[in-house]
Structure formats: structure tokens, C-alpha cells
Amino acid sequence: GAVVSQHPSRVICKSGTSVKIECRSLDFQATTMFWYRQFPKQSLMLMATSNEGSKATYEQGVEKDKFLINHASLTLSTLTVTSAHPEDSSFYICSARLTSGGAGDEQYFGPGTRLTVT
Amino acid sequence: QKEVEQDPGPLSVPEGAIVSLNCTYSNSAFQYFMWYRQYSRKGPELLMYTYSSGNKEDGRFTAQVDKSSKYISLFIRDSQPSDSATYLCAMSVAAGNKLTFGGGTRVLVKP
């Protein structure tokens, strides 16, 4: 259980275009999902917290108009990189919060999406 | 200074040895502590999840939390080449809150 998928796994796009990345919780409902980006040999940096049915909360320094997040259902959140530029090339990873009801809530991660902007 | 510090490694051990990993942190409000394993170009996989201080064991993995010292550890017994990966510690202030990650330690288990 607690499987999170992402689509696509890899995407190459031209500068100035927009790219949408999907994050799905396959076997549980997630009221909260998180979006991270990771540069080579670096740790994960939280971009935004996505709550189902409400606006996402962005971390300081993340442009909300550039990284559009939509959490339309309890199993799907999408990240759209608008007007992508080469500096947006990165590994984007989502996680979904599983409410266990026990000691706390656990986050399960998707396999990541590698975005390359040419 | 980063909120969570983790030695980047690489940590190289022979197969069968115990792998010892640790993180230190500065925010005393952290209550939930996690260890993730990440293979190259893959998403992190949750290994251990602990609340407050104490020990937790799961198979070959043991997690320890010492809140008084702001120090957490992960031990991997009988290490295997398949354990070669980057190990990330993460922590949060409250259940389900955003995670703060360490930089990750790269581990190499040599056959």
C-alpha cells in the first residue's frame, strides 16, 4: 500500500512552453500533497504544499505564477511549470500525506519527474 | 547554518558490516523523525518513522532519536550491496507538516 505515482517520468520541452506533471495517490486518499525539486547531488527542496480544494501554500522564493499547483481531487495533484526556461530543468518529486491515525502522518513519495528545458 | 545537518559521505563499508548514519538538528520543536532511502533518479522511499525520543527497530534497520542532544541515528545491520543508496533524514514539527530534510549521505556497500 501507500503508492504514489507521477507522470510523466521524463519530459523534454522547449524554452517558453508549459509542462504539466501529475501526482497520484493510487491506494489512498491524500488531502495534502507536497511538491519538491531536487538538483543533482542535493537534497529535496520543498516548493509548495497542496491541499485538496484550496489554494496551495508556496515556500519563500517560489513563484506561484510560474509553478501552478492544482489539487482537484483526493488522489490527484498537478504541477504546471509555465513558460519554462533552462534553469527550471530539475528533478520534480511529489509526496502524499497518509493519515495513519496512529503516531502521526507519513509522507510517501512518487518516483519523480525529470524535466529538461532546451 | 542549516536546520538539519547530515554528512554527505560517501560512506563505504564492506558487505555484512553495520552502516551507521546520523543527523543533527537545531530546531527543538521537531517531534517527528524519518529516514528515507533514495536510489539514483528515483523518489525517496520511507524506511523508518519515529515520534519523539527513543528507539525503533524494523528488520535490519534501527532508528534512534535523542531529542536532548538533537541527534538522530539510523543503523543498518548485515548490509547488502542493494543497500547502496543515498539516505536522507527528515523531520517535522507536527504530524503531516512539511518535512525538513538533511542533505543526504551516500552509502556504498561493497561486495
Side-chain angles (χ1 to χ4, degrees), chain A residues 33-83:
Chain A
M33 291 184 174
F34 301 86
W35 286 95
Y36 298 82
R37 66 188 296 183
Q38 186 177 33
F39 291 105
K41 297 187 178 181
Q42 294 189 26
S43 191
L44 285 77
M45 292 182 58
L46 179 66
M47 299 175 65
T49 301
S50 167
N51 293 297
E52 188 266 337
S54 63
K55 290 183 179 180
T57 303
Y58 290 82
E59 294 299 299
Q60 190 174 8
V62 178
E63 299 176 58
K64 61 180 181 181
D65 294 330
K66 181 169 184 62
F67 298 99
L68 301 179
I69 291 172
N70 185 4
H71 194 156
S73 77
L74 289 172
T75 59
L76 174 64
S77 176
T78 60
L79 168 68
T80 302
V81 183
T82 63
S83 186

Short mmCIF file of all heavy atoms in Angstrom, two decimals, chain A residues 33-83:
data_model
loop_
_atom_site.label_atom_id
_atom_site.label_comp_id
_atom_site.label_asym_id
_atom_site.label_seq_id
_atom_site.Cartn_x
_atom_site.Cartn_y
_atom_site.Cartn_z
N MET A 33 -0.76 17.11 -0.40
CA MET A 33 0.38 16.64 -1.18
C MET A 33 1.43 17.74 -1.19
O MET A 33 1.11 18.92 -1.01
CB MET A 33 -0.06 16.30 -2.62
CG MET A 33 -0.96 15.06 -2.71
SD MET A 33 -1.35 14.65 -4.43
CE MET A 33 -2.23 13.11 -4.22
N PHE A 34 2.65 17.34 -1.38
CA PHE A 34 3.76 18.28 -1.36
C PHE A 34 4.55 18.15 -2.68
O PHE A 34 4.70 17.06 -3.22
CB PHE A 34 4.70 17.98 -0.19
CG PHE A 34 4.05 18.04 1.17
CD1 PHE A 34 3.41 16.92 1.68
CD2 PHE A 34 4.09 19.19 1.92
CE1 PHE A 34 2.80 16.96 2.94
CE2 PHE A 34 3.50 19.24 3.18
CZ PHE A 34 2.84 18.12 3.68
N TRP A 35 5.08 19.27 -3.13
CA TRP A 35 5.92 19.28 -4.33
C TRP A 35 7.32 19.74 -3.97
O TRP A 35 7.51 20.77 -3.29
CB TRP A 35 5.32 20.20 -5.40
CG TRP A 35 4.12 19.60 -6.06
CD1 TRP A 35 2.81 19.80 -5.73
CD2 TRP A 35 4.12 18.67 -7.15
NE1 TRP A 35 1.99 19.08 -6.56
CE2 TRP A 35 2.76 18.37 -7.42
CE3 TRP A 35 5.12 18.07 -7.91
CZ2 TRP A 35 2.40 17.48 -8.45
CZ3 TRP A 35 4.74 17.20 -8.92
CH2 TRP A 35 3.41 16.91 -9.19
N TYR A 36 8.31 18.96 -4.42
CA TYR A 36 9.71 19.25 -4.16
C TYR A 36 10.46 19.32 -5.50
O TYR A 36 10.02 18.76 -6.51
CB TYR A 36 10.35 18.13 -3.34
CG TYR A 36 9.78 17.90 -1.97
CD1 TYR A 36 8.62 17.14 -1.77
CD2 TYR A 36 10.43 18.39 -0.84
CE1 TYR A 36 8.11 16.92 -0.51
CE2 TYR A 36 9.93 18.15 0.44
CZ TYR A 36 8.78 17.42 0.59
OH TYR A 36 8.29 17.20 1.84
N ARG A 37 11.59 19.97 -5.46
CA ARG A 37 12.52 19.86 -6.57
C ARG A 37 13.88 19.49 -6.01
O ARG A 37 14.20 19.82 -4.85
CB ARG A 37 12.59 21.13 -7.42
CG ARG A 37 13.15 22.35 -6.75
CD ARG A 37 12.99 23.58 -7.63
NE ARG A 37 13.74 23.49 -8.88
CZ ARG A 37 13.80 24.46 -9.78
NH1 ARG A 37 13.14 25.60 -9.58
NH2 ARG A 37 14.50 24.31 -10.89
N GLN A 38 14.65 18.79 -6.81
CA GLN A 38 15.94 18.29 -6.36
C GLN A 38 16.96 18.46 -7.47
O GLN A 38 16.77 17.95 -8.58
CB GLN A 38 15.83 16.81 -5.96
CG GLN A 38 17.09 16.24 -5.35
CD GLN A 38 16.91 14.79 -4.91
OE1 GLN A 38 16.17 14.03 -5.53
NE2 GLN A 38 17.57 14.40 -3.84
N PHE A 39 18.04 19.16 -7.18
CA PHE A 39 19.13 19.31 -8.12
C PHE A 39 20.13 18.18 -7.88
O PHE A 39 20.16 17.58 -6.80
CB PHE A 39 19.79 20.68 -7.95
CG PHE A 39 18.90 21.81 -8.38
CD1 PHE A 39 18.27 22.63 -7.45
CD2 PHE A 39 18.66 22.05 -9.73
CE1 PHE A 39 17.43 23.66 -7.84
CE2 PHE A 39 17.82 23.09 -10.13
CZ PHE A 39 17.20 23.88 -9.18
N PRO A 40 20.96 17.88 -8.88
CA PRO A 40 21.89 16.75 -8.76
C PRO A 40 22.73 16.81 -7.50
O PRO A 40 23.28 17.86 -7.15
CB PRO A 40 22.75 16.88 -10.02
CG PRO A 40 21.88 17.56 -11.02
CD PRO A 40 21.05 18.52 -10.21
N LYS A 41 22.78 15.70 -6.80
CA LYS A 41 23.58 15.52 -5.60
C LYS A 41 23.19 16.50 -4.49
O LYS A 41 24.01 16.82 -3.63
CB LYS A 41 25.07 15.65 -5.92
CG LYS A 41 25.55 14.57 -6.88
CD LYS A 41 27.06 14.59 -7.05
CE LYS A 41 27.51 13.47 -7.98
NZ LYS A 41 28.98 13.43 -8.15
N GLN A 42 21.97 16.96 -4.53
CA GLN A 42 21.47 17.83 -3.47
C GLN A 42 20.21 17.23 -2.86
O GLN A 42 19.62 16.30 -3.42
CB GLN A 42 21.18 19.24 -4.01
CG GLN A 42 22.42 19.98 -4.46
CD GLN A 42 22.13 21.43 -4.79
OE1 GLN A 42 21.18 22.02 -4.28
NE2 GLN A 42 22.96 22.01 -5.64
N SER A 43 19.82 17.78 -1.74
CA SER A 43 18.64 17.25 -1.07
C SER A 43 17.37 17.85 -1.67
O SER A 43 17.42 18.68 -2.58
CB SER A 43 18.71 17.55 0.42
OG SER A 43 17.72 16.84 1.11
N LEU A 44 16.25 17.41 -1.15
CA LEU A 44 14.96 17.89 -1.65
C LEU A 44 14.65 19.26 -1.08
O LEU A 44 14.84 19.50 0.11
CB LEU A 44 13.85 16.93 -1.24
CG LEU A 44 13.75 15.61 -1.99
CD1 LEU A 44 14.82 14.63 -1.54
CD2 LEU A 44 12.38 15.00 -1.83
N MET A 45 14.14 20.11 -1.93
CA MET A 45 13.71 21.44 -1.50
C MET A 45 12.21 21.56 -1.70
O MET A 45 11.72 21.41 -2.81
CB MET A 45 14.44 22.52 -2.29
CG MET A 45 15.92 22.63 -1.99
SD MET A 45 16.69 23.95 -2.92
CE MET A 45 15.73 25.36 -2.38
N LEU A 46 11.50 21.83 -0.62
CA LEU A 46 10.05 21.94 -0.70
C LEU A 46 9.68 23.19 -1.49
O LEU A 46 10.18 24.28 -1.22
CB LEU A 46 9.46 22.02 0.71
CG LEU A 46 7.95 22.16 0.79
CD1 LEU A 46 7.26 20.92 0.24
CD2 LEU A 46 7.51 22.41 2.23
N MET A 47 8.79 23.01 -2.46
CA MET A 47 8.31 24.13 -3.25
C MET A 47 6.97 24.63 -2.72
O MET A 47 6.77 25.83 -2.57
CB MET A 47 8.14 23.72 -4.72
CG MET A 47 9.41 23.27 -5.39
SD MET A 47 9.08 22.68 -7.05
CE MET A 47 8.51 24.17 -7.86
N ALA A 48 6.06 23.68 -2.48
CA ALA A 48 4.72 24.10 -2.08
C ALA A 48 3.97 22.95 -1.45
O ALA A 48 4.30 21.78 -1.65
CB ALA A 48 3.95 24.61 -3.30
N THR A 49 2.98 23.32 -0.65
CA THR A 49 2.07 22.36 -0.02
C THR A 49 0.72 22.51 -0.71
O THR A 49 0.19 23.63 -0.80
CB THR A 49 1.94 22.64 1.47
OG1 THR A 49 3.23 22.55 2.08
CG2 THR A 49 1.00 21.64 2.12
N SER A 50 0.19 21.40 -1.16
CA SER A 50 -1.05 21.40 -1.92
C SER A 50 -2.15 20.75 -1.10
O SER A 50 -2.01 19.62 -0.66
CB SER A 50 -0.82 20.61 -3.22
OG SER A 50 -2.03 20.31 -3.87
N ASN A 51 -3.23 21.47 -0.87
CA ASN A 51 -4.37 20.95 -0.11
C ASN A 51 -5.58 20.82 -1.02
O ASN A 51 -5.90 21.75 -1.77
CB ASN A 51 -4.70 21.88 1.06
CG ASN A 51 -3.61 21.87 2.11
OD1 ASN A 51 -3.32 20.87 2.72
ND2 ASN A 51 -2.98 23.01 2.30
N GLU A 52 -6.23 19.70 -0.95
CA GLU A 52 -7.38 19.42 -1.81
C GLU A 52 -8.46 20.47 -1.61
O GLU A 52 -8.86 20.75 -0.48
CB GLU A 52 -7.92 18.02 -1.50
CG GLU A 52 -9.00 17.55 -2.45
CD GLU A 52 -10.39 17.85 -1.94
OE1 GLU A 52 -10.56 18.01 -0.72
OE2 GLU A 52 -11.33 17.91 -2.77
N GLY A 53 -8.85 21.07 -2.70
CA GLY A 53 -9.95 22.03 -2.68
C GLY A 53 -9.59 23.43 -2.25
O GLY A 53 -10.47 24.29 -2.11
N SER A 54 -8.31 23.69 -2.03
CA SER A 54 -7.92 25.05 -1.63
C SER A 54 -6.62 25.43 -2.33
O SER A 54 -5.99 24.60 -2.99
CB SER A 54 -7.76 25.16 -0.12
OG SER A 54 -6.73 24.32 0.34
N LYS A 55 -6.23 26.66 -2.16
CA LYS A 55 -5.02 27.16 -2.82
C LYS A 55 -3.78 26.55 -2.17
O LYS A 55 -3.74 26.30 -0.97
CB LYS A 55 -4.95 28.68 -2.74
CG LYS A 55 -5.97 29.40 -3.60
CD LYS A 55 -5.79 30.91 -3.53
CE LYS A 55 -6.79 31.61 -4.42
NZ LYS A 55 -6.63 33.10 -4.37
N ALA A 56 -2.77 26.37 -3.00
CA ALA A 56 -1.51 25.84 -2.48
C ALA A 56 -0.77 26.89 -1.67
O ALA A 56 -0.94 28.10 -1.88
CB ALA A 56 -0.64 25.37 -3.64
N THR A 57 0.05 26.42 -0.77
CA THR A 57 0.91 27.30 0.03
C THR A 57 2.32 27.16 -0.49
O THR A 57 2.89 26.07 -0.44
CB THR A 57 0.86 26.91 1.51
OG1 THR A 57 -0.49 26.96 1.98
CG2 THR A 57 1.72 27.85 2.34
N TYR A 58 2.90 28.26 -0.95
CA TYR A 58 4.23 28.22 -1.56
C TYR A 58 5.30 28.62 -0.56
O TYR A 58 5.10 29.47 0.31
CB TYR A 58 4.26 29.18 -2.75
CG TYR A 58 3.43 28.69 -3.93
CD1 TYR A 58 2.06 28.90 -3.96
CD2 TYR A 58 4.03 28.02 -4.99
CE1 TYR A 58 1.29 28.44 -5.03
CE2 TYR A 58 3.27 27.56 -6.06
CZ TYR A 58 1.91 27.77 -6.07
OH TYR A 58 1.15 27.31 -7.12
N GLU A 59 6.46 27.99 -0.70
CA GLU A 59 7.59 28.35 0.13
C GLU A 59 8.19 29.66 -0.36
O GLU A 59 8.01 30.07 -1.52
CB GLU A 59 8.65 27.25 0.09
CG GLU A 59 8.18 25.95 0.71
CD GLU A 59 7.84 26.10 2.18
OE1 GLU A 59 8.73 26.46 2.98
OE2 GLU A 59 6.66 25.85 2.53
N GLN A 60 8.90 30.30 0.53
CA GLN A 60 9.52 31.59 0.20
C GLN A 60 10.46 31.42 -0.99
O GLN A 60 11.26 30.48 -1.03
CB GLN A 60 10.30 32.11 1.42
CG GLN A 60 10.77 33.54 1.28
CD GLN A 60 11.40 34.05 2.57
OE1 GLN A 60 11.63 33.30 3.52
NE2 GLN A 60 11.68 35.34 2.62
N GLY A 61 10.33 32.32 -1.93
CA GLY A 61 11.20 32.30 -3.09
C GLY A 61 10.66 31.51 -4.28
O GLY A 61 11.26 31.53 -5.35
N VAL A 62 9.56 30.82 -4.09
CA VAL A 62 8.96 30.04 -5.19
C VAL A 62 7.86 30.88 -5.83
O VAL A 62 6.94 31.32 -5.14
CB VAL A 62 8.39 28.71 -4.67
CG1 VAL A 62 7.72 27.94 -5.81
CG2 VAL A 62 9.48 27.88 -4.04
N GLU A 63 7.95 31.07 -7.14
CA GLU A 63 6.98 31.91 -7.84
C GLU A 63 5.69 31.14 -8.09
O GLU A 63 5.65 30.19 -8.87
CB GLU A 63 7.56 32.35 -9.18
CG GLU A 63 8.84 33.17 -9.07
CD GLU A 63 9.39 33.48 -10.45
OE1 GLU A 63 8.66 34.10 -11.25
OE2 GLU A 63 10.53 33.08 -10.74
N LYS A 64 4.62 31.56 -7.45
CA LYS A 64 3.35 30.84 -7.59
C LYS A 64 2.74 30.98 -8.98
O LYS A 64 1.98 30.12 -9.41
CB LYS A 64 2.35 31.31 -6.53
CG LYS A 64 1.99 32.77 -6.61
CD LYS A 64 0.98 33.13 -5.51
CE LYS A 64 0.57 34.59 -5.59
NZ LYS A 64 -0.40 34.94 -4.50
N ASP A 65 3.07 32.06 -9.68
CA ASP A 65 2.54 32.24 -11.03
C ASP A 65 3.32 31.41 -12.05
O ASP A 65 2.83 31.20 -13.17
CB ASP A 65 2.58 33.71 -11.43
CG ASP A 65 1.65 34.54 -10.59
OD1 ASP A 65 0.61 33.99 -10.14
OD2 ASP A 65 1.94 35.72 -10.36
N LYS A 66 4.48 30.98 -11.67
CA LYS A 66 5.28 30.16 -12.58
C LYS A 66 5.03 28.67 -12.33
O LYS A 66 5.00 27.89 -13.27
CB LYS A 66 6.76 30.46 -12.38
CG LYS A 66 7.66 29.65 -13.31
CD LYS A 66 9.08 30.15 -13.27
CE LYS A 66 9.91 29.37 -14.27
NZ LYS A 66 9.43 29.56 -15.66
N PHE A 67 4.86 28.32 -11.10
CA PHE A 67 4.62 26.92 -10.73
C PHE A 67 3.18 26.81 -10.22
O PHE A 67 2.91 27.01 -9.03
CB PHE A 67 5.62 26.47 -9.66
CG PHE A 67 7.05 26.52 -10.11
CD1 PHE A 67 7.86 27.60 -9.75
CD2 PHE A 67 7.59 25.51 -10.89
CE1 PHE A 67 9.18 27.66 -10.17
CE2 PHE A 67 8.91 25.56 -11.31
CZ PHE A 67 9.71 26.64 -10.95
N LEU A 68 2.28 26.48 -11.14
CA LEU A 68 0.86 26.42 -10.81
C LEU A 68 0.52 25.04 -10.26
O LEU A 68 0.83 24.03 -10.87
CB LEU A 68 0.02 26.70 -12.06
CG LEU A 68 0.24 28.06 -12.73
CD1 LEU A 68 -0.64 28.19 -13.95
CD2 LEU A 68 -0.02 29.19 -11.76
N ILE A 69 -0.13 25.02 -9.11
CA ILE A 69 -0.49 23.77 -8.47
C ILE A 69 -2.00 23.69 -8.34
O ILE A 69 -2.65 24.63 -7.88
CB ILE A 69 0.19 23.64 -7.11
CG1 ILE A 69 1.69 23.47 -7.30
CG2 ILE A 69 -0.39 22.46 -6.32
CD1 ILE A 69 2.49 23.52 -6.02
N ASN A 70 -2.55 22.53 -8.74
CA ASN A 70 -3.98 22.28 -8.64
C ASN A 70 -4.19 20.94 -7.97
O ASN A 70 -3.67 19.92 -8.41
CB ASN A 70 -4.60 22.28 -10.05
CG ASN A 70 -6.11 22.14 -9.99
OD1 ASN A 70 -6.70 22.11 -8.92
ND2 ASN A 70 -6.73 22.03 -11.14
N HIS A 71 -4.93 20.93 -6.89
CA HIS A 71 -5.22 19.69 -6.16
C HIS A 71 -6.73 19.48 -6.23
O HIS A 71 -7.45 19.77 -5.28
CB HIS A 71 -4.73 19.86 -4.72
CG HIS A 71 -4.65 18.56 -3.95
ND1 HIS A 71 -3.81 18.41 -2.87
CD2 HIS A 71 -5.29 17.39 -4.09
CE1 HIS A 71 -3.95 17.20 -2.38
NE2 HIS A 71 -4.85 16.56 -3.11
N ALA A 72 -7.17 18.99 -7.37
CA ALA A 72 -8.60 18.96 -7.67
C ALA A 72 -9.34 17.80 -7.00
O ALA A 72 -10.56 17.85 -6.84
CB ALA A 72 -8.80 18.91 -9.18
N SER A 73 -8.63 16.75 -6.64
CA SER A 73 -9.30 15.61 -6.02
C SER A 73 -8.41 15.03 -4.93
O SER A 73 -7.27 15.46 -4.77
CB SER A 73 -9.60 14.53 -7.06
OG SER A 73 -8.43 13.80 -7.38
N LEU A 74 -8.94 14.08 -4.19
CA LEU A 74 -8.18 13.50 -3.07
C LEU A 74 -7.08 12.55 -3.54
O LEU A 74 -6.33 12.04 -2.71
CB LEU A 74 -9.14 12.75 -2.13
CG LEU A 74 -10.05 13.65 -1.31
CD1 LEU A 74 -11.07 12.81 -0.56
CD2 LEU A 74 -9.25 14.49 -0.31
N THR A 75 -6.98 12.32 -4.83
CA THR A 75 -5.93 11.42 -5.32
C THR A 75 -5.07 12.04 -6.40
O THR A 75 -4.18 11.38 -6.94
CB THR A 75 -6.56 10.13 -5.89
OG1 THR A 75 -7.45 10.48 -6.96
CG2 THR A 75 -7.31 9.36 -4.81
N LEU A 76 -5.29 13.31 -6.72
CA LEU A 76 -4.55 13.91 -7.83
C LEU A 76 -4.17 15.35 -7.54
O LEU A 76 -5.00 16.17 -7.17
CB LEU A 76 -5.39 13.88 -9.11
CG LEU A 76 -4.81 14.61 -10.33
CD1 LEU A 76 -3.50 13.96 -10.79
CD2 LEU A 76 -5.83 14.63 -11.47
N SER A 77 -2.87 15.63 -7.72
CA SER A 77 -2.38 17.00 -7.68
C SER A 77 -1.53 17.19 -8.94
O SER A 77 -0.84 16.27 -9.37
CB SER A 77 -1.54 17.24 -6.43
OG SER A 77 -0.97 18.55 -6.45
N THR A 78 -1.60 18.38 -9.52
CA THR A 78 -0.80 18.66 -10.71
C THR A 78 0.07 19.89 -10.49
O THR A 78 -0.32 20.83 -9.80
CB THR A 78 -1.67 18.88 -11.95
OG1 THR A 78 -2.55 20.00 -11.73
CG2 THR A 78 -2.49 17.65 -12.28
N LEU A 79 1.25 19.83 -11.06
CA LEU A 79 2.18 20.95 -11.06
C LEU A 79 2.41 21.35 -12.50
O LEU A 79 2.83 20.51 -13.32
CB LEU A 79 3.51 20.55 -10.40
CG LEU A 79 4.68 21.53 -10.57
CD1 LEU A 79 4.42 22.82 -9.81
CD2 LEU A 79 5.98 20.89 -10.09
N THR A 80 2.13 22.60 -12.83
CA THR A 80 2.37 23.10 -14.18
C THR A 80 3.49 24.13 -14.13
O THR A 80 3.38 25.13 -13.42
CB THR A 80 1.11 23.74 -14.79
OG1 THR A 80 0.06 22.77 -14.83
CG2 THR A 80 1.39 24.23 -16.21
N VAL A 81 4.56 23.85 -14.86
CA VAL A 81 5.66 24.80 -14.98
C VAL A 81 5.36 25.65 -16.21
O VAL A 81 5.37 25.15 -17.34
CB VAL A 81 7.01 24.07 -15.14
CG1 VAL A 81 8.15 25.08 -15.19
CG2 VAL A 81 7.22 23.09 -13.99
N THR A 82 5.06 26.90 -15.99
CA THR A 82 4.67 27.77 -17.09
C THR A 82 5.89 28.51 -17.66
O THR A 82 6.83 28.83 -16.91
CB THR A 82 3.62 28.80 -16.64
OG1 THR A 82 4.21 29.64 -15.63
CG2 THR A 82 2.40 28.11 -16.08
N SER A 83 5.87 28.73 -18.96
CA SER A 83 6.95 29.44 -19.64
C SER A 83 8.31 28.95 -19.13
O SER A 83 9.11 29.70 -18.57
CB SER A 83 6.82 30.95 -19.42
OG SER A 83 7.78 31.66 -20.19
#
